[in-house]
Amino acid sequence: MPTPSMEDYIEQIYLLIEEKGYARVSDIAGNLSVHPSSVTKMVQKLDQEEYLVYEKYRGLILTPNGKKIGKRLVYRHELLEKMLRLIGVKEENIYHDVEGIEHHLSWNAIDRIGDLVEYFEESPKRVEELEVIQKKNTK
């Protein structure tokens, strides 16, 4: 299993490849706010762990396992954002909150959060009932 730091890189690489068709060290560094040399070291480690194939000066591609993990990590991130929106977390807090919690939840917890999101999405009335409770509790 990848470490939380490895997950951040795999997720960013997956997103870049989905968006642009490729992922460059400079793009990864910019998205993660790290130095390109740090990206190069991590990319080499991810290559050793067989999450991606890296050829110096040529670029990188995710292995089938890397793609699978990348897709799951993006799903986790988007699901947590969706859940926080549904329960009324302020938009300006959502990204930071997701970044803070996503690596600390088991995949079982993520699956249950998926069930909870589905429960709320099946009936907008449930969201309205939650909002009533929130208004009552903020008084």
Side-chain angles (χ1 to χ4, degrees):
M1 280 305 291
T3 65
S5 180
M6 292 166 90
E7 287 183 346
D8 287 338
Y9 281 85
I10 293 169
E11 181 179 5
Q12 280 306 310
I13 292 165
Y14 180 86
L15 286 169
L16 284 165
I17 291 172
E18 286 293 303
E19 178 185 322
K20 299 169 112 181
Y22 59 90
R24 296 184 314 201
V25 168
S26 60
D27 295 327
I28 300 164
N31 286 2
L32 293 174
S33 300
V34 298
H35 293 287
S37 59
S38 298
V39 174
T40 300
K41 286 179 189 171
M42 180 57 82
V43 164
Q44 290 168 343
K45 186 174 185 174
L46 292 169
D47 185 27
Q48 287 177 330
E49 298 285 329
E50 298 182 354
Y51 294 113
L52 58 81
V53 177
Y54 174 64
E55 294 181 25
K56 196 172 183 178
Y57 306 117
R58 294 191 58 115
L60 53 95
I61 58 167
L62 290 169
T63 63
N65 188 40
K67 282 182 189 175
K68 178 180 169 190
I69 290 171
K71 186 174 184 174
R72 183 97 163 126
L73 295 172
V74 169
Y75 164 78
R76 175 180 71 186
H77 190 100
E78 291 173 350
L79 178 67
L80 291 171
E81 283 185 352
K82 187 182 281 191
M83 181 200 62
L84 293 180
R85 277 190 191 92
L86 275 170
I87 64 171
V89 173
K90 293 178 182 173
E91 192 64 36
E92 64 265 19
N93 296 333
I94 290 176
Y95 181 81
H96 180 73
D97 288 348
V98 169
E99 287 298 311
I101 63 174
E102 66 184 341
H103 299 296
H104 300 285
L105 296 171
S106 68
W107 286 106
N108 178 252
I110 296 297
D111 290 340
R112 299 300 64 82
I113 289 169
D115 296 341
L116 183 64
V117 167
E118 184 179 334
Y119 172 79
F120 278 111
E121 288 179 335
E122 283 178 354
S123 173
K125 182 93 172 126
R126 293 171 181 153
V127 176
E128 292 169 15
E129 291 168 351
L130 177 61
E131 289 169 351
V132 168
I133 292 168
Q134 291 169 336
K135 285 178 186 172
K136 181 185 79 168
N137 290 336
T138 57
K139 289 183 181 180

